[in-house]
């Protein structure tokens, strides 16, 4: 997949789903805020589950043009979405703790995604928005990190996509360096979880 094909997919998706993206973004922000305030502990997981399913079904199944999008990205996002929904039920009382300073930085970087895309010279619709694959995984890793109980498979899948941020250089999508940082953070989270499991 060349860089122009990559940006064409993004352009078509943004142009035709902008209203849906705004609605989903509001839902995600409200749900995460409710969980951070410990009003509805499972709300963030439900919102992230729905957001990942949306990316899988709408972005990759609906607008994807390449085999890697259909046979790698699509199932990965669907599985992440279903695992988030499963976790929202299985560990529904797990508290979302206040973000650490580093998690707060990652949340700020997520919020800066579209602005960075604009600064890099991109213009709507061929620019990165909040409800796109890489920003959603960046947000997913950051928020999920603040839960005490973590599903290792879900964390692995999110981290795998996080590490695809290396493509930021290939496709001139330098804003996805944010994704790569989140991918490295995912590795650190996995190491901590494995150490904790061995210590039990």
């Amino acid at each position: 997949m060349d860089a122009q094909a990559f940006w064409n997919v993004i352009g078509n998706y943004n142009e035709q789903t902008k209203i849906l993206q705004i609605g989903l973004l509001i839902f995600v922000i409200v749900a995460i805020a409710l969980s951070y305030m410990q009003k509805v502990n499972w709300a963030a997981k439900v919102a992230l589950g729905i957001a990942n399913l949306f990316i899988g079904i709408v972005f990759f199944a609906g607008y994807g043009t390449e085999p890697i999008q259909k046979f790698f990205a699509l199932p990965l996002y669907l599985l992440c979405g279903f695992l988030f929904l499963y976790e929202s039920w299985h560990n529904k009382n797990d508290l979302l703790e206040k973000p650490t300073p580093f998690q707060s930085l990652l949340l700020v970087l997520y919020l800066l995604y579209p602005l960075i895309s604009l600064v890099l010279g991109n213009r709507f619709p061929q620019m990165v928005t909040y409800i796109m694959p890489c920003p959603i995984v960046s947000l997913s890793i950051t928020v999920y990190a603040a839960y005490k109980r973590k599903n290792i498979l879900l964390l692995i899948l999110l981290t795998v996509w996080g590490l695809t941020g290396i493509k930021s250089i290939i496709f001139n999508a330098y804003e996805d360096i944010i994704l790569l940082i989140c991918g490295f953070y995912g590795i650190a989270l996995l190491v901590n979880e494995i150490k904790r499991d061995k210590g039990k």
Side-chain angles (χ1 to χ4, degrees):
M1 186 176 188
D2 62 32
Q4 190 54 53
F6 170 81
W7 285 108
N8 285 342
V9 169
I10 289 174
N12 291 334
Y13 164 79
N14 279 336
E15 186 64 46
Q16 297 174 32
T17 66
K18 51 184 178 288
I19 302 301
L20 285 174
Q21 288 189 56
I22 292 170
L24 183 54
L25 177 63
I26 293 170
F27 170 68
V28 168
I29 290 173
V30 170
I32 291 174
L34 287 172
S35 291
Y36 272 130
M37 293 186 294
Q38 299 185 353
K39 300 289 186 183
V40 187
N41 299 330
W42 44 265
K45 292 178 183 177
V46 168
L48 292 173
I50 292 172
N52 277 276
L53 289 174
F54 180 87
I55 294 299
I57 295 168
V58 177
F59 188 93
F60 288 115
Y63 293 89
T65 58
E66 304 296 319
I68 194 169
Q69 294 175 323
K70 302 289 188 179
F71 299 109
F72 170 65
L74 172 58
L76 184 147
Y77 275 86
L78 292 180
L79 190 51
C80 285
F82 284 123
L83 284 172
F84 265 122
L85 293 179
Y86 170 77
E87 285 296 303
S88 73
W89 172 79
H90 185 67
N91 290 315
K92 60 184 176 182
N93 294 321
D94 191 15
L95 295 177
L96 181 62
E97 299 178 336
K98 296 286 177 64
T100 65
F102 185 68
Q103 289 165 3
S104 297
L105 172 62
L106 293 180
L107 288 172
V108 170
L109 289 176
Y110 167 78
L111 292 174
L112 290 175
Y113 240 114
L115 178 59
I116 293 172
S117 193
L118 287 170
V119 168
L120 289 171
N122 299 312
R123 294 294 178 265
F124 190 86
Q126 291 193 355
M127 62 173 285
V128 178
T129 57
Y130 292 116
I131 307 297
M132 286 184 57
C134 299
I136 285 296
V137 162
S138 298
L139 182 64
S140 296
I141 291 172
T142 303
V143 173
Y144 197 46
Y147 279 104
K148 286 186 177 180
R149 299 177 183 176
K150 297 179 182 66
N151 183 303
I152 294 295
L153 176 58
L154 175 55
L155 199 51
I156 289 172
L157 293 172
L158 293 172
T159 300
V160 165
W161 190 266
L163 294 176
T164 67
I166 194 69
K167 73 183 182 303
S168 59
I169 300 169
I170 301 170
F171 295 133
N172 298 321
Y174 296 107
E175 50 271 78
D176 280 341
I177 290 173
I178 297 169
L179 174 68
L180 186 58
I181 294 170
C182 290
F184 287 131
Y185 184 47
I187 292 175
L189 293 172
L190 280 168
V191 170
N192 287 337
E193 288 299 307
I194 291 169
K195 285 182 178 178
R196 183 159 53 181
D197 288 345
K198 285 183 176 180
K200 289 181 180 179

